[in-house]
Amino acid sequence: GSGGARQAPDGWSRDESHRQLAAFGRMLAPIAARHGVTVAIEPLRKAECNILNTVAEGAALARTVNHPALALLVDGYHWATDGDVPEAIVEHRGRLAHIHIATTAHRLAPGMEACDFRPFFDALRRAGYIGRMSIEGGLGDPAAPLPAAARTLRQACS
C-alpha cells in the first residue's frame, strides 16, 4: 500500500514491523492466489515511508512469507532516488513481478526530461527480467509524452 498506510510508528522496532508485515502477507497471499492475483511488495523511498525502502528489504519480506502469490515490484524512481544498488535487482531476480519507471528529477514519464535509465535497465537486463513495466510518472496530456516515453523505453531496453 501507500507509504502512509504502512509507516511504522516512531520508535517502533523494524523487526516488529517486519514480523507484522509478514503475518499480513501470510494471510493475504493465499487469498490472492485463489483469485489469480499476485501481490507485489513495492519498496518506497525513505522520504515517503520508513519501512521497506530497498529491494533487499522487499525481497526479505517476500522470502519470509514464501508464497508464490507474494512477489516484488521494483520502482526505478524509488530505487534511483534512494541510491539502491543494481546488484539487489540481480540478486532477487526470481522474485520480480513488475517494474515501475519515472524520471528521477521530477517523477515524469520517460522522455519528458533528461534521466539516465542505463543503470536501472542494465540491472534488469542482468537479472533477465522480461516482464511488465508501467510508467508511474506525471504525463499531463498523454498524447504528447507517450510517444516520447515509448521511444525512450525502447532505447533503454535495446
Side-chain angles (χ1 to χ4, degrees):
S2 69
R6 70 172 189 222
Q7 185 88 357
D10 289 341
W12 196 257
S13 158
R14 288 185 75 76
D15 289 340
E16 180 61 15
S17 295
H18 183 87
R19 188 194 66 69
Q20 288 181 351
L21 288 166
F24 178 72
R26 285 187 195 100
M27 184 261 321
L28 180 63
I31 296 168
R34 283 196 302 271
H35 295 281
V37 171
T38 299
V39 176
I41 301 163
E42 180 180 9
L44 300 176
R45 64 191 182 117
K46 293 176 181 125
E48 295 179 31
C49 187
N50 64 359
I51 191 84
L52 297 176
N53 303 114
T54 67
V55 171
E57 289 171 344
L61 179 60
R63 188 173 42 256
T64 298
V65 172
N66 195 29
H67 194 286
L70 190 76
L72 184 61
L73 182 158
V74 178
D75 185 313
Y77 171 77
H78 297 294
W79 177 86
T81 56
D82 264 4
D84 207 342
V85 295
E87 292 74 23
I89 292 172
V90 176
E91 180 181 347
H92 302 294
R93 64 180 156 260
R95 300 201 181 275
L96 297 178
H98 192 72
I99 303 297
H100 284 169
I101 191 79
T103 63
T104 52
H106 296 101
R107 206 173 191 172
L108 299 174
M112 292 185 69
E113 65 183 354
C115 187
D116 184 5
F117 293 111
R118 285 177 297 180
F120 187 62
F121 279 90
D122 287 346
L124 292 173
R125 207 174 282 107
R126 288 178 27 223
Y129 183 77
I130 57 170
R132 294 178 183 225
M133 175 183 296
S134 59
I135 296 170
E136 192 182 52
L139 287 170
D141 175 11
L146 283 180
R151 280 191 304 278
T152 302
L153 291 174
R154 276 191 205 100
Q155 287 173 342
C157 290
S158 60

